Amino acid sequence: MTEPQFERQVDRSHMQVSDEVAIQIENMNKWYGQFHVLRDIDLTVQRGERIVIAGPSGSGKSTLIRCINRLEEHQAGKIVVDGIELTNDLKNIDKVRREVGMVFQHFNLFPHLTILENLTLAPIWVRKTPKKEAEATAMHYLEKVKIPEQADKYPGQLSGGQQQRVAIARSLCMKPRIMLFDEPTSALDPEMIKEVLDTMIELAEEGMTMLCVTHEMGFAQAVANRVIFMADGQIVEQNNPHDFFNNPKSERTQQFLSQILGH
Amino acid sequence: MSDTQAHSVAYVRDTMLPQQPAPAGQSGAVQWLRENLFSGWLNTLLTLLGVALIYTLVMHFLPWFLHGVWDANSIKECRTIITDRYGEGATGACWAVIRERWHQFIFGFYPPELYWRPILTFLLLFVAVGPLLFTWVPRVLAWFTPVYPFLAVWLLWGGSGWTPVMIFAGFVLGAAILLLLSPRLGSIMAFSIGAFVAILYFLFVVGPLIGGLQAILPWGLESVDSAKFGGFLLAITLGVGGIMMSLPLGIVLALGRQSDMPLVKGFSVVFIEFIRGVPLITLLFVASLLLNYFLPPGTNFDIILRVMILVTFFAAAYIAEVIRGGLAALPRGQYEAADALGLDYWKAQRLIILPQALKISIPGIVSTFIGMFKDTTLVVFVGLFDPLKGIPDFIRADFNWKGIYWEPFIFVGAIFFILNFAMSRYSMSLERRLQRDNH
């Protein structure tokens, strides 16, 4: 099996996995009506881990990370994020959502607000940050994703790659401890994928805890410390990227890898 | 050329082509006429028929308009003048009725020496809605907007000056309780307590309080009874009141219909479907007749207020459905992004969902407003003097103007057209202003 390649040099000096548990999922099950989408999921994420979740479409990988900030409700088992258990208690849900940032496949920027307003909205209304301070933070992150000059434009005026970088900056403005990425590059043109992946790599280099659903195996190879393969709502295999790509154990994984890498 | 072709399956362009203007000669009046009016034998025929129809109509009405008489004191005088000027059998409009009775079309039977009060109310309306409608109006004026409804009611109906002040104070009281308690008890609980205290205040405290204050320090305006309202004063009072109250109520009903709470959802659905299922006239009869049976004897529940409430309900049900369409048009991702950022339900609605849903719903909302404004003329059926039938019928009852027919309709229709056309144009300009987000 050929290893996927990624041309960028990744600085691993700050990528340290600590003993502290960031996310603990035990025996979690979820159904859509009668359809059993997630089956007996057990997953522990340490602080500082970069986990890539791969798998065929319909395998439940997006649903899994959407359960972590309660965009989807699980019916059985336990999810603890940052020491807070996710139950029907709205206060806990809000607390978790404040600590967990999420980036979506279709960016989901707010089209009626400028880029700067998109970034300052949650800090001002949720964290009660003063407007001036929120704007300074927003400009800081816009510079980080390299589009400070777009601050006063509206999302519709930006390219897909720029919009996704704004979406990442918007999440970062809430100073999250964990970032979830739900297929962040799947809706982008090939030439724009790289700029978004570069931003994500920079984030990983700073030691952010990341869970990332993606088909970008080069990114997994370069950044992840663990790759999880899901099929039919279950975790089929997980391993470090080197062994995952060179020596996949399960037949499903081998089949999947040969399909997405073997061309 | 064929030579290069043969050699160059692989090809590299060495210069990029600049943009060029589109071919000329694709415009002009004659071109337009030929393309749009005479593009085939059928279209030519239809064009000629249309021209003939317009010609006949204009030839029929134009003399009537041109023969119009402004300077007469009765319809008989009008007819004599027209016969004198244009010969036996000539027709003409008798605009004199408008000249003599315009004040009744506008103000109904409002005492003429108090006309300044409705006029002032009307002018202040623009001050009050300016900050909401136009970006160039100074923001400072926005403080006047919540004060205006109370001031307007007082100016129109008169009475003790303490009434609007103390009723306004009741709303301030409720709002203050909401703001003070919501950080500690949550918004729903705080809202319930605030509303409860305010209702208690309105039921038991406000009446004696106003009476007492009036006894100590009397001030106010001469009272004008609701029966004196009529014409456009009545139509605009009902229309503006209905519009101001039906939009918030419609938003609440639209959100209620989407709610996860069965009680809220059920109430919203039943309310919307019931109101939409019943003709407005039925509701107006409810306002004028039925409510009298249900209310305790001796209560004086003003007829205009009753009608305004039911007109509001009627418009709100339609607006709720229009807004529901706007809510449904928003991608799920907007809700998810708001949730993922930790915004609670009300903040997400106020900051993310409603601004977008309302923008989508503008044409439908304004249509509903225009429809409602025109429907205010239906109050003639519960004995109020609307400008379209109530006032003209009253004028026709005068011996001098017996038999006058088209002129009031044209005059009233023209005013309705101006007001509704202005609303329609405003909504189009608002849509253009909000078009910046080309997502």
Side-chain angles (χ1 to χ4, degrees), chain B residues 105-118:
Chain B
F105 282 105
I106 306 294
F107 297 105
F109 310 103
Y110 210 86
E113 69 277 12
L114 300 179
Y115 278 172
W116 64 271
R117 276 159 53 178

Side-chain angles (χ1 to χ4, degrees), chain B residues 50-60:
Chain B
V51 169
L53 186 67
I54 293 170
Y55 178 79
T56 326
L57 283 176
V58 168
M59 278 299 113
H60 216 77

Side-chain angles (χ1 to χ4, degrees), chain B residues 97-315:
Chain B
V97 66
I98 309 295
R99 188 188 54 85
E100 193 190 285
R101 298 298 186 100
W102 65 271
H103 57 280
Q104 285 180 339
F105 282 105
I106 306 294
F107 297 105
F109 310 103
Y110 210 86
E113 69 277 12
L114 300 179
Y115 278 172
W116 64 271
R117 276 159 53 178
I119 293 171
L120 181 63
T121 314
F122 187 66
L123 293 177
L124 287 178
L125 172 66
F126 293 97
V127 182
V129 298
L132 303 179
L133 299 187
F134 299 104
T135 44
W136 50 264
V137 175
R139 295 292 97 188
V140 204
L141 286 178
W143 68 264
F144 182 67
T145 310
V147 177
Y148 177 76
F150 304 92
L151 182 64
V153 169
W154 181 58
L155 277 175
L156 290 176
W157 276 273
S160 163
W162 292 109
T163 314
V165 175
M166 288 300 126
I167 289 181
F168 186 68
F171 282 94
V172 171
L173 180 71
I177 291 172
L178 171 66
L179 286 180
L180 281 177
L181 293 185
S182 62
R184 262 163 277 170
L185 299 174
S187 48
I188 296 174
M189 196 62 197
F191 180 80
S192 312
I193 296 176
F196 184 70
V197 173
I199 288 170
L200 283 183
Y201 172 83
F202 285 131
L203 283 181
F204 301 112
V205 183
V206 82
L209 188 62
I210 291 168
L213 285 167
Q214 188 66 12
I216 301 164
L217 187 68
W219 66 294
L221 290 170
E222 188 183 328
S223 289
V224 178
D225 194 71
S226 281
K228 295 258 194 322
F229 281 57
F232 278 101
L233 172 59
L234 178 67
I236 292 175
T237 306
L238 287 172
V240 171
I243 285 170
M244 279 182 169
M245 295 192 290
S246 64
L247 185 60
L249 184 60
I251 292 173
V252 170
L253 284 170
L255 294 179
R257 198 168 184 166
Q258 307 246 307
S259 169
D260 297 329
M261 289 182 263
L263 197 69
V264 175
K265 188 188 168 94
F267 175 80
S268 307
V269 171
V270 170
F271 184 93
I272 292 169
E273 295 304 335
F274 172 75
I275 298 278
R276 289 205 310 164
V278 177
L280 178 57
I281 296 197
T282 316
L283 293 176
L284 292 176
F285 280 129
V286 168
S288 82
L289 303 171
L290 259 180
L291 281 182
N292 273 349
Y293 292 114
F294 291 135
L295 290 170
T299 41
N300 179 24
F301 194 14
D302 188 84
I303 176 74
I304 292 183
L305 183 60
R306 277 183 276 166
V307 165
M308 196 186 283
I309 289 172
L310 285 174
V311 167
T312 302
F313 284 174
F314 192 75

Side-chain angles (χ1 to χ4, degrees), chain A residues 30-262:
Chain A
K30 176 173 175 59
W31 289 263
Y32 283 132
Q34 285 304 308
F35 179 58
H36 199 172
V37 260
L38 291 175
R39 309 177 194 175
D40 277 342
I41 303 288
D42 280 298
L43 178 68
T44 305
V45 182
Q46 315 285 112
R47 191 159 303 292
E49 277 204 281
R50 288 101 32 216
I51 296 179
V52 162
I53 304 171
S57 65
S59 59
K61 49 195 192 311
S62 283
T63 312
L64 171 61
I65 68 163
R66 288 157 62 87
C67 281
I68 293 171
N69 67 350
R70 196 69 167 192
L71 287 184
E72 306 279 355
E73 202 175 314
H74 60 284
Q75 278 89 33
K78 195 169 155 186
I79 303 177
V80 181
V81 182
D82 241 354
I84 305 161
E85 182 173 357
L86 280 169
T87 57
N88 277 326
D89 187 345
L90 288 174
K91 283 218 171 92
N92 280 355
I93 295 174
D94 281 343
K95 256 189 240 166
V96 166
R97 283 176 178 167
R98 256 173 268 163
E99 303 306 325
V100 179
M102 184 157 201
V103 175
F104 299 87
Q105 180 178 1
H106 295 288
F107 332 132
N108 296 353
L109 295 178
F110 305 129
H112 62 300
L113 301 176
T114 64
I115 300 305
L116 192 64
E117 287 165 345
N118 264 279
L119 266 66
T120 56
L121 182 113
I124 289 175
W125 290 94
V126 180
R127 287 228 191 271
K128 314 277 180 216
T129 316
K131 190 165 178 245
K132 279 258 153 56
E133 198 186 319
E135 281 176 353
T137 315
M139 287 313 295
H140 168 76
Y141 283 112
L142 276 183
E143 264 156 41
K144 212 169 137 75
V145 301
K146 303 188 181 66
I147 34 178
E149 72 282 0
Q150 313 283 6
D152 294 321
K153 290 195 183 162
Y154 286 88
Q157 298 167 296
L158 269 57
S159 74
Q162 289 174 325
Q163 289 193 47
Q164 192 61 298
R165 283 185 282 156
V166 170
I168 294 172
R170 180 175 69 177
S171 288
L172 293 177
C173 281
M174 285 293 279
K175 307 265 167 67
R177 289 154 67 82
I178 299 166
M179 285 288 287
L180 308 174
F181 293 85
D182 187 2
E183 306 207 25
T185 55
S186 302
L188 296 176
D189 293 335
E191 58 196 283
M192 295 173 183
I193 291 178
K194 190 180 166 301
E195 62 189 51
V196 171
L197 289 181
D198 278 342
T199 308
M200 290 166 64
I201 290 169
E202 274 170 37
L203 205 55
E205 285 171 342
E206 286 162 20
M208 177 66 80
T209 311
M210 294 165 71
L211 268 83
C212 188
V213 173
T214 183
H215 297 294
E216 295 297 325
M217 290 302 130
F219 172 79
Q221 174 74 23
V223 173
N225 67 316
R226 189 150 44 126
V227 181
I228 292 176
F229 176 72
M230 286 183 72
D232 298 332
Q234 296 148 70
I235 296 180
V236 174
E237 186 164 349
Q238 50 176 316
N239 212 332
N240 63 61
H242 184 264
D243 292 334
F244 181 84
F245 290 113
N246 289 307
N247 191 12
K249 304 272 188 317
S250 100
E251 203 177 309
R252 290 293 297 267
T253 316
Q254 290 162 6
Q255 204 187 340
F256 176 75
L257 286 177
S258 71
Q259 269 165 7
I260 71 166
L261 298 173

